[in-house]
Amino acid sequence: SDGGNSARWDFGERISALGLLGAGAALIVAGVSGLWRFDPATEEKVLQTAFPDLPDIQRPNDGKVGPDGAFWVGTMEDRDDRGAAGKLYRFGPDGNVRIMRKGLTTPNGIAWSPDGTWMYLAETRERIVRRFPFDKATGTLGEGEVFATLTEDEGKPDGAMVDAEGRYWVAGIYAGQL
């Protein structure tokens, strides 16, 4: 053991993503009901914003805090034969919730370029990563373009991040690739 501590918290629902809220220890947590503000030190959980229209068959998937201060999270149908009913939501710091993209199957790999001018979004089932011009002042996306298409040997794009030099790194699930 490295002497580290571990803890477990029950939200009473499926949780898919989390992000840090500023320099403090509080977290933003995406669950089926919406976004929770959670303080691990006090174990206080507060449902901040509900998903406005999430059908019972859908759940949140990947999510990240963007350079605009909003929490971005994709949703998908929670079944193997899912269709293109998922959406990309932007939960603004002001409490405003906007649907930024529709027609997604399995949104993953959300990340931004170091300067905040590009947003990346993977579609796992399609094996495609798109990038979108991003305006961090307004939190808006321009028209997307295909950034990468993964082969079967490279796997399906899942979780991702961008390093300080602007390189997009994505996990190629089912192939054990990065």
Side-chain angles (χ1 to χ4, degrees):
S1 170
D2 64 0
N5 295 324
S6 66
R8 178 183 168 98
W9 298 283
D10 184 6
F11 281 76
E13 64 184 70
R14 192 175 198 171
I15 300 298
S16 71
L18 61 89
L20 295 173
L21 287 174
L27 303 172
I28 192 78
V29 179
V32 174
S33 58
L35 293 189
W36 295 82
R37 185 181 193 287
F38 176 63
D39 185 336
T42 65
E43 299 188 9
E44 179 184 16
K45 296 180 275 198
V46 177
L47 183 63
Q48 262 192 234
T49 309
F51 276 99
D53 60 352
L54 193 65
D56 288 342
I57 195 167
Q58 288 195 11
R59 67 170 176 86
N61 198 37
D62 191 23
K64 296 248 176 73
V65 176
D68 59 342
F71 193 77
W72 293 71
V73 63
T75 62
M76 59 185 248
E77 290 181 325
D78 197 11
R79 60 185 193 182
D80 289 338
D81 64 338
R82 68 186 65 107
K87 298 173 184 165
L88 179 64
Y89 289 84
R90 179 187 181 273
F91 288 83
D94 59 359
N96 186 21
V97 182
R98 293 189 313 198
I99 297 170
M100 305 304 289
R101 290 289 181 269
K102 294 181 179 181
L104 304 173
T105 305
T106 312
N108 265 312
I110 300 170
W112 284 267
S113 61
D115 64 1
T117 60
W118 292 100
M119 178 189 184
Y120 298 87
L121 178 65
E123 265 283 19
T124 301
R125 292 267 170 119
E126 296 176 11
R127 298 182 192 272
I128 292 175
V129 178
R130 290 182 177 83
R131 71 177 189 168
F132 301 85
F134 185 76
D135 184 333
K136 61 185 174 185
T138 62
T140 56
L141 299 174
E143 286 301 310
E145 63 188 29
V146 173
F147 176 72
T149 302
L150 280 67
T151 66
E152 189 169 332
D153 289 340
E154 293 170 320
K156 294 181 178 184
D158 199 351
M161 53 102 28
V162 174
D163 68 20
E165 294 180 19
R167 293 177 292 215
Y168 180 82
W169 295 82
V170 64
I173 60 169
Y174 305 118
Q177 299 292 317
L178 183 62

